[in-house]
Amino acid sequence: MTDKKKTTIILFSGDYDKAMAAFIIANGAATYDHEVTIFSTFWGLNAFRRDHHVPVKKGFLERMFAKMMPRGVDKMGLSNMNFAGMGPKMIKHVMKKHNAMPLLELVEMAQEQGVKLVACTMTMDLLGLQKEELIDGLEYAGVAAYLADAEEGNVNLFI
Amino acid sequence: MTDKKKTTIILFSGDYDKAMAAFIIANGAATYDHEVTIFSTFWGLNAFRRDHHVPVKKGFLERMFAKMMPRGVDKMGLSNMNFAGMGPKMIKHVMKKHNAMPLLELVEMAQEQGVKLVACTMTMDLLGLQKEELIDGLEYAGVAAYLADAEEGNVNLFI
Amino acid sequence: MTDKKKTTIILFSGDYDKAMAAFIIANGAATYDHEVTIFSTFWGLNAFRRDHHVPVKKGFLERMFAKMMPRGVDKMGLSNMNFAGMGPKMIKHVMKKHNAMPLLELVEMAQEQGVKLVACTMTMDLLGLQKEELIDGLEYAGVAAYLADAEEGNVNLFI
């Protein structure tokens, strides 16, 4: 245990806007010298997928999931006003105009700032996602590791 | 007040996958000897409904709600990729294959581990749900009881 | 820092029912003498919009967002069973019948109880929302201000 404040975020959602909120909070907390963990589970794992197909052996259902789920942050939809994919384009356009960081850069910034990015191994198992299909620099753990971090911190969010 | 760590989860969502996440975290925390409360409110109360019709007196709107809302965990849909009900079947299939516990067993495990399951009385009132329609072993309380638990713990999530 | 317990809620969602949950928890916590902050971001800001059009200068995309997003709490939809707008009417009807406070009154009650209502300035920038378009009595801040509140409290929720 350290004296540092801790912030943990469970990223459950696979929505672009919710993932943005998660990474904006995480980067803010890291800037304020918190120890920050993003524990990515269920659809949230899509934010950590590589943006290209990685050839790995899978069963039929796992291949279906892999096909249907977005590959990486730039393929994710919005939780609101998605408009069959138009929404994310509008948001990205408006973000560019206002010099706001797109999600991809928010993830990179989090890694540079030492935010611990954890992929939920139970979800990987269920959805048939393999390490080769996810971005570099992740840790792999389950709910026990999440709880060990969360029980020492105050700012624990489920997004 | 005890020296035990406390974990509280507000289960607001009526989605199968989000309820799964809630009960996985709750069971994990109970295993690590936390005092755990799941406070089920709004659509989250559907997770505590009995899976068969229970004849109780209701007004018209309450009967409509009762008809439209899923009866128990096995009728709940997914927050993502629901595909008109196909999604939950796929998830359950893949869970069986990987020996993961279905939601119904996660709820039973929580009760066996002493997780406190609370039904929000304000929601019951609003949606016209009566105790006879909910599973056994619940406590009944409002937001004040939730806050009394939450203010003593660190891991407080809204799902 | 004070000795008061702190409760902070990030209101991300633009759904009527989720906003209701946020304000019920906030009002409950304020009654129990917590210092309470609702930090409203992304679609959650719609809860703070005035219910009439306010003439301000905007770019094209910002005008589109303003048109498409609900103006104030009474225009917001449900996260579940929205039924093309029927859901909120049913909920409001049933709330009236049970003497439950509608969202608009919950917001006013929060303001009377001294709940700090914060509008996320980054979101205002992105969506092109201006102070004139939002209700009175708000504070304006970013993620740093949120973290300063949250790190001193236990009950920190993301809704």
Side-chain angles (χ1 to χ4, degrees):
Chain A
M1 194 179 339
T2 70
D3 284 349
K4 277 195 172 186
K5 304 259 184 184
K6 290 200 174 192
T7 291
T8 73
I9 295 170
I10 296 180
L11 180 57
F12 173 94
S13 166
D15 299 322
Y16 189 89
D17 44 349
K18 287 196 170 178
M20 262 191 69
F23 279 93
I24 288 169
I25 297 166
N27 281 319
T31 303
Y32 284 87
D33 215 30
H34 287 212
E35 267 187 46
V36 187
T37 302
I38 293 184
F39 183 81
S40 191
T41 186
F42 283 76
W43 321 109
L45 261 187
N46 290 327
F48 293 162
R49 287 183 79 190
R50 289 187 196 281
D51 57 5
H52 55 272
H53 175 67
V54 180
V56 287
K57 276 201 170 171
K58 299 200 186 219
F60 174 68
L61 267 175
E62 287 79 2
R63 252 183 299 143
M64 272 186 72
F65 276 123
K67 268 248 158 93
M68 294 184 309
M69 295 186 306
R71 279 211 184 86
V73 291
D74 272 336
K75 306 289 185 351
M76 289 155 70
L78 293 183
S79 69
N80 200 357
M81 310 210 303
N82 196 48
F83 297 127
M86 268 301 291
K89 271 180 211 143
M90 277 179 65
I91 289 282
K92 282 174 206 171
H93 188 92
V94 101
M95 279 164 61
K96 206 168 184 177
K97 187 176 149 194
H98 290 281
N99 296 314
M101 268 193 188
L103 181 47
L104 197 62
E105 287 177 34
L106 286 169
V107 175
E108 288 166 4
M109 188 190 179
Q111 292 195 300
E112 282 161 22
Q113 287 203 101
V115 171
K116 188 161 80 181
L117 302 182
V118 185
C120 169
T121 46
M122 191 208 75
T123 307
M124 291 174 65
D125 220 43
L126 272 184
L127 300 182
L129 287 171
Q130 297 174 32
K131 289 186 187 181
E132 292 83 351
E133 298 177 88
L134 302 180
I135 59 173
D136 292 325
L138 302 181
E139 298 189 18
Y140 299 90
V143 70
Y146 162 71
L147 285 164
D149 282 332
E151 70 178 23
E152 288 176 13
N154 282 3
V155 187
N156 299 313
L157 306 172
F158 183 97
I159 295 186
Chain B
M1 194 178 341
T2 70
D3 284 349
K4 276 197 172 184
K5 304 259 184 183
K6 291 202 174 193
T7 291
T8 74
I9 294 170
I10 295 179
L11 180 58
F12 173 94
S13 166
D15 299 321
Y16 188 90
D17 45 348
K18 287 196 170 176
M20 262 190 70
F23 279 92
I24 289 170
I25 296 166
N27 281 319
T31 304
Y32 285 89
D33 215 30
H34 286 212
E35 267 187 45
V36 187
T37 302
I38 294 184
F39 183 82
S40 192
T41 184
F42 283 75
W43 321 109
L45 261 188
N46 290 327
F48 292 162
R49 288 182 79 189
R50 289 188 196 281
D51 59 4
H52 55 273
H53 175 68
V54 180
V56 286
K57 277 202 170 169
K58 298 198 186 221
F60 174 69
L61 268 175
E62 287 78 4
R63 252 183 300 142
M64 271 186 74
F65 275 122
K67 266 248 158 95
M68 294 183 310
M69 294 186 307
R71 278 210 185 85
V73 292
D74 272 336
K75 306 288 187 350
M76 289 155 70
L78 293 183
S79 68
N80 200 358
M81 309 209 303
N82 195 47
F83 297 126
M86 268 301 290
K89 272 181 210 143
M90 277 179 67
I91 289 281
K92 281 174 206 170
H93 189 93
V94 101
M95 277 164 63
K96 206 167 186 179
K97 188 175 148 192
H98 291 280
N99 297 313
M101 268 193 188
L103 182 47
L104 198 61
E105 288 177 33
L106 286 170
V107 175
E108 288 165 5
M109 188 189 179
Q111 292 195 300
E112 282 161 20
Q113 288 202 99
V115 171
K116 188 161 81 182
L117 302 183
V118 185
C120 169
T121 47
M122 190 207 75
T123 307
M124 290 175 65
D125 219 44
L126 273 184
L127 301 182
L129 287 171
Q130 297 174 31
K131 288 186 188 182
E132 292 84 351
E133 299 176 88
L134 303 180
I135 59 174
D136 292 326
L138 302 182
E139 299 189 16
Y140 299 91
V143 69
Y146 161 71
L147 285 164
D149 281 332
E151 69 179 25
E152 288 175 13
N154 282 2
V155 187
N156 299 314
L157 305 172
F158 183 97
I159 295 185
Chain C
M1 195 178 339
T2 70
D3 283 348
K4 277 196 172 184
K5 303 258 183 185
K6 291 201 175 193
T7 290
T8 74
I9 293 170
I10 296 180
L11 180 58
F12 172 95
S13 166
D15 299 322
Y16 189 89
D17 46 348
K18 287 196 170 178
M20 262 190 70
F23 279 92
I24 290 169
I25 297 165
N27 281 320
T31 304
Y32 285 88
D33 215 31
H34 286 211
E35 268 186 46
V36 188
T37 302
I38 293 184
F39 183 82
S40 191
T41 184
F42 282 77
W43 321 108
L45 261 188
N46 291 327
F48 292 161
R49 287 182 79 190
R50 290 186 194 282
D51 58 4
H52 55 272
H53 175 68
V54 180
V56 287
K57 276 201 170 171
K58 298 199 186 223
F60 174 69
L61 268 174
E62 286 78 2
R63 252 183 299 142
M64 273 186 72
F65 275 121
K67 267 248 157 94
M68 295 183 308
M69 294 187 307
R71 278 211 184 84
V73 291
D74 272 336
K75 307 288 187 350
M76 289 155 70
L78 293 184
S79 68
N80 201 358
M81 310 209 302
N82 196 47
F83 297 128
M86 269 300 290
K89 271 179 211 145
M90 278 178 65
I91 289 281
K92 281 173 206 171
H93 189 92
V94 102
M95 279 164 61
K96 207 167 185 177
K97 188 175 149 193
H98 290 280
N99 296 314
M101 268 193 187
L103 182 47
L104 197 62
E105 287 176 33
L106 286 169
V107 175
E108 288 165 5
M109 187 190 180
Q111 292 194 300
E112 282 160 21
Q113 288 204 99
V115 170
K116 189 161 81 182
L117 302 182
V118 185
C120 169
T121 46
M122 191 207 74
T123 307
M124 291 175 65
D125 219 44
L126 272 184
L127 301 182
L129 287 170
Q130 297 174 31
K131 288 186 188 182
E132 291 85 350
E133 299 177 87
L134 302 180
I135 59 173
D136 292 326
L138 302 181
E139 298 189 17
Y140 299 90
V143 69
Y146 162 71
L147 285 164
D149 281 332
E151 71 178 23
E152 288 176 14
N154 282 2
V155 187
N156 299 313
L157 305 172
F158 183 97
I159 295 185

